[in-house]
Amino acid sequence: MTSQVSSPADQADEASEALVGGQRAPQSAPGNGDKEIRRLDRVIIRFAGDSGDGMQLTGDRFTSETASFGNDLSTLPNFPAEIRAPAGTLPGVSSFQLHFADHDILTPGDAPNVLVAMNPAALRANIEDVPRGAEIIVNTDEFTKRPMAKVGYTTSPLEDGSLEAYNVHPVPLTTLTIEALKEFGLSRKEAERSKNMFALGLLSWMYHRPTEGTETFLRAKFAKKPQIAEANVAAFRAGWNFGETTEDFAVSYEVAPASHAFPTGTYRNISGNLALSYGLIAAGRQADLPVYLGSYPITPASDILHELSNHKNFGVRTFQAEDEIAGIGAALGAAFGGALGVTTTSGPGVALKSETIGLAVSLELPLLIIDIQRGGPSTGLPTKTEQADLLQAMYGRNGEAPVPIVAPKTPADCFDAALDAARIALTYRTPVFLLSDGYLANGSEPWRIPEVDQLPDLRVQFAGGPNHELADGTEVFWPYKRDPQTLARPWAVPGTPGLEHRIGGIEKQDGTGNISYDPANHDFMVRTRQAKIDGIEVPDVEVDDPADARTLVLGWGSTYGPITAAVRRLRAAGHPIAQAHLRHINPFPRNLGEVLRRYDKVVVPEMNLGQLATLIRAKYLVDAHSYTQVNGMPFKAEQLATALKEAIDA
C-alpha cells in the first residue's frame, strides 16, 4: 500500500507521548446525523483473541488502510509459539497492537486506548495493560461459563463490576456475524470465522479508515472461493453499519494524516523482514551479482525465505536446506562461485552455523548471516523478541574469527542495513552478521521508497588473471595477495583460466594460500584478518545533544524507538539528556570512545543482561550502566523515561 506525501519534513516533538493515555483533549466536530466526531492526534488499538480468531490478519488490514490514509504508524504483533494452542486458553491468546498518529511516532505505544477482546482469555491476558478510562470492546457471545472458567473467571467480569474503570462496549460479535451472513448458506462454524472482519469493520467505522483496500484484498485472498470472499466482505460491511447505527457507539474519531512528518516521496507500509528482503534484492542488483539464499525455516526469520522465493526475476535463488548447517554451507559455496551468498536464521541456528562461519572467515569470502534474534537459550521463546545474540555474533566461533556486525534500528531501516552489510561483505571479503530481532521483523512502519539512482554502487571486480610476479619473472595468481587499502583478498571465480588455487579450512600461507603450519605465519594471518575488520570504514556515531547534557543514553538495534520516545518525554519535561545509537558494533565507529568520555554517565538499555555494556566497558574503560529487560517484549517508553530520569538525578 503506497501513499504520496507532498509536505516538507517537519517532525513533531512528540511531547504528547507524555500525556495520560497518549491523547490530546479531543475536539468535537459535527458528524452524520446524531453521531459526534472527535479529532485525536494519535490512537493505540490492540486486537486480541484466540490464535484461530485471525487477529494478525485483522491488525494487518487495519494497518494497511491506515498507511494508505497517510498516518504515521508502528505495530507490535504478538502471537503464541504453538501452531494451534488450546482454544480459549491464556497461552493461545494472539494480539496485534497498532499506534497511529498525525505526527511522527516511534513505538507501538505503551498501553492501548482501545482493546478489542474476542473472548475471556483475550480480556484476562491484556487487561493489565489497559489504562483506566480506555475503551474495551468485548465479544459477549464468548463470555459463557466454560470459556470463563478456562481462564479463572468465577464470575463474569462484564457483570461483577471489575471493569467499572473502563468504557466497556458489549457486542455480540459472533451472533451479529452469523445473522449478517444468513443469505450465504454457510454453516455456523464457517460463518463464525468472519467475526474478525465484523470487528474490523466496526473499528474502521470508529476511526474513519478507508474500506476499499480491505474489500479488494478479501476478494483477491479468496478468489478461488468467491462465496467465502463475499461473506467476509459482507461481515466487514455489517461491522461498519453496526457502528453507524447502534446507540452504544455515539462517537467516532478522526486522526488526520501525518502530512508534516515525512519528507516528500512515495511511501508504503513495510515490516522489518520484508524491508530486509527488499534490501537483499537491491544489494544483488546494485552489485550486479546473483543472490543465493541458503536457509532452513526458523521463527522469526522464515518470512525472508518465503519472500525471496518470489523474486527469481531479480536473479534471486532460494534453497530450503535440510538443516541449518546445509543452508549456510550452500550459501558459502555460492559465494565461492561468485554470488552474493546469504543465510537467514535465529539464535539456535547461529549456534549450528558457527563452524561454517569460521570457515568463511578463513576463506575470506563475502557472506551475509542474517540473525533475527528471539528469546533463548535453546528453543527459548520462538515468537518473542530479544537482543541476546550479540556476544554470540562477536565471539561464537573457535579461534580468532572476527566478523563485522550491523544492526538495524527500525523495520524500515532493515532495508538500508541489508545494503550496508552487503557493502562491507563485498568490499572487505568477509562474512557479516546482520542482527535484527522479532520486534523489528514482525513490526511495521511507513517506508519511503528510495530512487534507484540513490542506492549505493556495490559492483565488484573479480580476479581476471595473474597478480604476482615471482623472483624469476613468472607471473602467478596468489589468492591471498591483499588490497593495500582494504586488506581484502581477490575474489576468483572457479573455472577462470589461470586462477586455480587451494581452498579449505586449514591455515593458509600468506599470499600463496598454500597450507601452512608455520607459527609466525599463523600469527601474521590472525592479526591481518583482525586488522581487516578493524579497518572497515563505518560512519562516525552521531550524538543528539541539544542542551550540553551530562548523561548519555546509548542504544543499538530495535531499542531505538523506545529510547528516542523516552528521550523526547524527558526533554519535554525540561531534563537534559543526550542520545546516540549504534548501527555498527564491530568495528565500533572511530569516534565512539571520544563521545563516551564526554559524559559523566552512560546508560545502555538492552533486551539482554548487558552485552553491549560489557563490550563498551572492556574496550573504552567507561563505567557504562546497564538497564536491561529480557521478558520477550520491547521496552515501553514510559518505563525507559523513568529509568533515565533516575540516572540523571543519581
Side-chain angles (χ1 to χ4, degrees), residues 14-26:
E14 204 178 351
S16 61
E17 286 248 349
L19 300 178
V20 176
Q23 299 180 188
R24 294 176 183 154

Side-chain angles (χ1 to χ4, degrees), residues 25 67 76 124 262 264 292 337 358 375 409 413 432 441 488 511 563 609:
L76 178 62
R124 185 149 202 140
F262 305 111
T264 301
Y292 184 95
K409 63 184 182 181
D413 188 49
V432 177
I563 289 175
L609 294 183

Side-chain angles (χ1 to χ4, degrees), residues 221-257:
K221 180 178 177 62
F222 298 106
K224 295 182 179 179
K225 299 179 179 179
Q227 184 186 33
I228 299 297
E230 293 307 316
N232 276 280
V233 170
F236 177 67
R237 290 178 176 176
W240 177 284
N241 293 333
F242 178 78
E244 182 71 23
T245 57
T246 184
E247 294 182 0
D248 192 39
F249 292 91
V251 178
S252 64
Y253 304 91
E254 284 186 348
V255 180

Side-chain angles (χ1 to χ4, degrees), residues 433-626:
F433 260 103
L434 191 153
L435 293 183
S436 178
D437 60 43
Y439 171 40
L440 295 183
N442 297 315
S444 61
E445 66 176 352
W447 172 56
R448 183 174 181 265
I449 301 172
E451 300 294 334
V452 174
D453 59 8
Q454 296 175 346
L455 299 178
D457 185 350
L458 301 179
R459 287 174 293 182
V460 297
Q461 188 69 44
F462 290 116
N467 62 357
H468 184 75
E469 185 175 308
L470 299 177
D472 62 2
T474 304
E475 291 187 339
V476 296
F477 174 68
W478 274 14
Y480 283 84
K481 185 168 185 175
R482 301 178 183 279
D483 181 286
Q485 297 297 320
T486 65
L487 298 182
R489 79 175 187 90
W491 194 359
V493 176
T496 306
L499 302 190
E500 299 85 356
H501 59 281
R502 289 184 175 88
I503 205 76
I506 295 178
E507 184 63 284
K508 296 123 181 85
Q509 184 181 56
D510 177 42
T512 68
N514 295 333
I515 292 173
S516 174
Y517 295 101
D518 177 65
N521 178 79
H522 177 61
D523 184 271
F524 177 80
M525 293 295 278
V526 167
R527 295 181 186 276
T528 300
R529 287 189 289 262
Q530 183 65 58
K532 180 173 69 170
I533 304 307
D534 292 341
I536 291 172
E537 288 291 334
V538 302
D540 283 349
V541 64
E542 297 182 359
V543 183
D544 178 14
D545 184 358
D548 294 325
R550 304 315 308 154
T551 300
L552 171 73
V553 55
L554 178 70
W556 71 278
S558 67
T559 56
Y560 173 78
I563 289 175
T564 307
V567 166
R568 289 181 179 181
R569 292 186 183 199
L570 289 173
R571 290 177 181 171
H575 305 294
I577 187 167
Q579 178 186 1
H581 207 80
L582 296 175
R583 168 180 282 179
H584 299 95
I585 305 175
N586 194 29
F588 285 125
R590 284 173 171 74
N591 70 329
L592 181 57
E594 184 273 326
V595 166
L596 295 173
R597 285 185 284 272
R598 199 186 303 165
Y599 295 90
D600 297 336
K601 301 172 187 174
V602 177
V603 182
V604 185
E606 300 180 76
M607 293 186 292
N608 55 48
L609 294 183
Q611 297 186 13
L612 176 62
T614 297
L615 296 174
I616 293 294
R617 292 168 69 95
K619 184 173 179 63
Y620 298 108
L621 302 181
V622 169
D623 188 19
H625 299 271
S626 285

Side-chain angles (χ1 to χ4, degrees), residues 40-43 69 71 100-102 207 209 253-257:
L40 307 174
D41 71 331
R42 65 194 192 95
V43 175
F69 187 71
N71 295 118
F100 61 101
D102 65 2
Y207 291 98
R209 299 297 91 184
Y253 304 91
E254 284 186 348
V255 180

Side-chain angles (χ1 to χ4, degrees), residues 335-511:
F336 176 60
L340 178 57
V342 183
T343 191
T344 53
T345 189
S346 190
V350 173
L352 293 168
K353 297 177 188 290
S354 61
E355 184 178 5
T356 306
I357 297 171
L359 177 61
V361 171
S362 175
L363 298 182
E364 301 188 43
L365 287 171
L367 176 68
L368 300 184
I369 305 114
I370 312 295
D371 178 5
I372 313 298
Q373 300 166 96
R374 73 190 204 190
S378 189
T379 306
L381 304 171
T383 61
K384 309 302 180 184
T385 195
E386 207 163 274
Q387 288 183 301
D389 294 350
L390 177 56
L391 293 184
Q392 180 179 220
M394 280 289 289
Y395 302 120
R397 295 161 295 283
N398 65 296
E400 295 288 346
V403 174
I405 300 173
V406 176
K409 63 184 182 181
T410 68
D413 188 49
C414 288
F415 177 87
D416 295 316
L419 284 166
D420 199 10
R423 170 190 69 85
I424 293 171
L426 294 170
T427 303
Y428 296 90
R429 311 285 197 269
T430 177
V432 177
F433 260 103
L434 191 153
L435 293 183
S436 178
D437 60 43
Y439 171 40
L440 295 183
N442 297 315
S444 61
E445 66 176 352
W447 172 56
R448 183 174 181 265
I449 301 172
E451 300 294 334
V452 174
D453 59 8
Q454 296 175 346
L455 299 178
D457 185 350
L458 301 179
R459 287 174 293 182
V460 297
Q461 188 69 44
F462 290 116
N467 62 357
H468 184 75
E469 185 175 308
L470 299 177
D472 62 2
T474 304
E475 291 187 339
V476 296
F477 174 68
W478 274 14
Y480 283 84
K481 185 168 185 175
R482 301 178 183 279
D483 181 286
Q485 297 297 320
T486 65
L487 298 182
R489 79 175 187 90
W491 194 359
V493 176
T496 306
L499 302 190
E500 299 85 356
H501 59 281
R502 289 184 175 88
I503 205 76
I506 295 178
E507 184 63 284
K508 296 123 181 85
Q509 184 181 56
D510 177 42

